[in-house]
Amino acid sequence: MLCVIISMTLQVPELSVTAYMPFFVSQETKLKTTVVGVGGLIGLTIGIGITLLLYKFTYGYPELRIPGMAIALFLGMWLSRVFVIGPLGFLIGFIVAVSQSVGEAVPSSEQLVRDLLWLWVAIAYGVGLTVVLNLLFLPDTTGPPAHRPKPKSLFVPDAFTNPAHVHFALKVTFAAMFCYIVYEGIDWSGIHTAFITCTFIALESTGATLHKGVLRMGGCIIGGALALFTIVFLMPHMVTIASLVVVVAGASAIAGWVAAGSEMISYAGLQIAFAFFYSLFQGYAPDTDLDNVRDRVVGILFGLIVTGLVFRYIWPERTIDRFRDALRAALRQLARLLEIPRPDVSIGKTEAKADALISETSTSFEQARRYADLTVFESEELRAADRLTNTKLESILARAEEIFASAKSLVLGDERQDRTRTALLSEIKAEVQRLN
């Protein structure tokens, strides 16, 4: 609501982007919100700087600008997989690629520079406002801090040896550039959300990508429907900013409620907000143009179809393989948890090590459970043997979670619990063998 009031009052461009920033930046804790906000501003500044530099050579030269877009997007998606701070690499590449994609739509280079700098202002003040309000009003969390090992390098261990990272970046680049060439070729730039969709729904596996795509599509339909209702029935009666703020508050509450849900549905909340703001804010005065609503929905649907086909048939990364790897990692951590010495060895060190390992093991089990849920999006592709494997993996996961619940109570137990500890370790080894 504050973003809408400020932008409408001062006529700051790109109101839809500013209004979306609270959804994009807000996290469950003050620290995470601040880190995401500061990191986002750093990535935004670097991305805008790079694209302004590139425009010195690419403005008016599509034969240079389009390959530049593709290279920037490829590097951004590759860094999102191999860089320790992956989101920062993705953000820089995405900003450069998207800002290069609008080059021919701006009549002069001076106007282009002004638009890009105003975009920086629109995003920066929205992010800053969100961080400040979260620091002031978001309650402090009381849970124990997560124990995470400090990275020894800026890149993940298999950054330069695993071809899957390059394949992933190539797939996203191909899908996004295909959409760009199609909508520019048919002169329908209004569906440029196809380009954005290809980059934002791409994840580590086909199932996860399709799941995120379905959430984006569902959220877009709901947000677009809310915007359509507002434009047709409410906008003709709006004469002051107060009425607009009330409508924004209602739509934001719905989107925020969905975004605060579980990981399986939260992304839909962000898309409700994105579609509503992007369709509704078409200037600083009431507007009843419905083309934006239609174009945004068509663009998202087009991008979803293209990305789904590319990820399904070109170098597919199956969710069931990710599921197996995550479950194997969780079982190994669980075995290490049961081998921790009892407190009579060193109470302080044991408790600290146990807490850290319990946190890591919980995260691994959550990841395995998430992959188990996502396999449904690849059910049509699974062969009969794969379906049996998936059933077997879910059985192992269920039993492993039961062992984990018992292990947490045994980690700091006494000598009388050694037999139970040994039995559970034997069962873990048996479950690991079943994965092979």
Side-chain angles (χ1 to χ4, degrees):
M1 292 169 61
L2 283 175
C3 288
V4 172
I5 293 172
I6 294 172
S7 290
M8 281 291 185
T9 303
L10 302 179
Q11 294 196 358
V12 180
E14 303 293 346
L15 171 55
S16 58
V17 178
T18 305
Y20 181 65
M21 284 302 103
F23 290 87
F24 185 76
V25 175
S26 295
Q27 306 294 318
E28 61 268 23
T29 66
K30 292 181 179 182
L31 178 60
K32 287 184 178 180
T33 300
T34 304
V35 170
V36 171
V38 173
L41 286 179
I42 293 173
L44 171 68
T45 304
I46 295 174
I48 293 293
I50 292 175
T51 200
L52 287 174
L53 179 62
L54 284 177
Y55 266 128
K56 289 175 64 68
F57 309 99
T58 62
Y59 185 76
Y61 298 95
E63 66 274 14
L64 298 177
R65 184 176 51 79
I66 294 176
M69 285 172 54
I71 293 172
L73 187 59
F74 171 82
L75 291 176
M77 301 309 300
W78 180 73
L79 286 173
S80 72
R81 292 264 299 226
V82 305
F83 202 43
V84 171
I85 317 176
L88 180 62
F90 163 79
L91 184 61
I92 295 173
F94 172 76
I95 289 174
V96 173
V98 170
S99 56
Q100 290 287 313
S101 70
V102 298
E104 71 275 351
V106 183
S108 69
S109 57
E110 180 181 356
Q111 183 64 40
L112 179 65
V113 173
R114 289 177 60 86
D115 289 347
L116 288 173
L117 294 180
W118 270 116
L119 176 64
W120 186 93
V121 172
I123 296 177
Y125 102 78
V127 170
L129 188 63
T130 303
V131 171
V132 170
L133 290 179
N134 273 270
L135 290 174
L136 290 176
F137 299 110
L138 191 67
D140 292 311
T141 54
T142 58
H147 299 273
R148 293 184 178 180
K150 294 182 179 180
K152 299 179 181 179
S153 171
L154 290 176
F155 296 93
V156 298
D158 63 346
F160 303 101
T161 58
N162 188 352
H165 302 316
V166 175
H167 294 167
F168 172 78
L170 286 173
K171 288 188 294 185
V172 178
T173 303
F174 174 77
M177 295 306 298
F178 176 82
C179 291
Y180 171 79
I181 292 172
V182 168
Y183 69 68
E184 287 295 333
I186 62 177
D187 194 21
W188 193 2
S189 59
I191 63 171
H192 64 273
T193 46
F195 186 94
I196 300 173
T197 297
C198 293
T199 57
F200 266 88
I201 69 171
L203 289 175
E204 69 276 7
S205 67
T206 303
T209 299
L210 294 177
H211 170 249
K212 194 172 183 179
V214 170
L215 291 181
R216 181 173 173 84
M217 191 63 213
C220 174
I221 291 174
I222 296 173
L226 290 174
L228 182 65
F229 176 82
T230 301
I231 292 172
V232 173
F233 297 103
L234 302 180
M235 194 71 76
H237 306 288
M238 292 183 182
V239 293
T240 66
I241 193 174
S243 56
L244 177 63
V245 168
V246 171
V247 172
V248 169
S252 298
I254 295 172
W257 179 70
V258 177
S262 69
E263 186 182 0
M264 297 300 291
I265 65 167
S266 60
Y267 187 69
L270 273 66
Q271 294 312 304
I272 293 174
F274 177 81
F276 178 78
F277 295 142
Y278 218 65
S279 301
L280 184 66
F281 296 127
Q282 304 174 29
Y284 304 110
D287 195 332
T288 56
D289 185 8
L290 299 179
D291 289 347
N292 271 355
V293 180
R294 177 203 62 196
D295 292 351
R296 302 311 180 250
V297 174
V298 171
I300 290 174
L301 180 60
F302 179 45
L304 175 59
I305 293 173
V306 172
T307 305
L309 291 174
V310 169
F311 271 71
R312 176 164 288 186
Y313 295 109
I314 301 177
W315 295 311
E317 294 184 74
R318 302 192 310 164
T319 304
I320 191 171
D321 296 330
R322 295 268 180 172
F323 181 18
R324 183 185 292 105
D325 293 341
L327 184 54
R328 183 179 288 110
L331 286 172
R332 287 172 178 168
Q333 289 173 335
L334 182 54
R336 286 168 52 205
L337 180 64
L338 285 169
E339 292 170 353
I340 290 178
R342 293 184 298 276
D344 50 46
V345 176
S346 175
I347 244 177
K349 291 183 178 180
T350 299
E351 288 183 349
K353 185 177 180 181
D355 289 341
L357 198 50
I358 286 174
S359 177
E360 292 176 12
T361 309
S362 297
T363 301
S364 296
F365 273 116
E366 289 173 4
Q367 187 69 20
R369 176 56 63 186
R370 175 174 174 269
Y371 285 132
D373 294 335
L374 291 175
T375 53
V376 68
F377 290 90
E378 297 179 4
S379 57
E380 295 180 0
E381 294 183 350
L382 295 179
R383 302 182 297 271
D386 289 331
R387 291 192 179 96
L388 290 175
T389 300
N390 190 47
T391 303
K392 172 184 171 183
L393 291 176
E394 290 185 352
S395 172
I396 295 174
L397 175 60
R399 180 54 188 153
E401 289 177 327
E402 293 176 2
I403 296 174
F404 181 46
S406 301
K408 285 188 288 187
S409 64
L410 290 173
V411 167
L412 301 178
D414 55 29
E415 294 181 359
R416 291 174 296 177
Q417 295 172 320
D418 281 348
R419 292 183 180 178
T420 305
R421 188 192 310 271
T422 303
L424 290 177
L425 276 170
S426 299
E427 189 165 355
I428 290 172
K429 292 178 181 178
E431 297 294 349
V432 170
Q433 290 180 351
R434 288 180 64 191
L435 286 172
N436 300 326

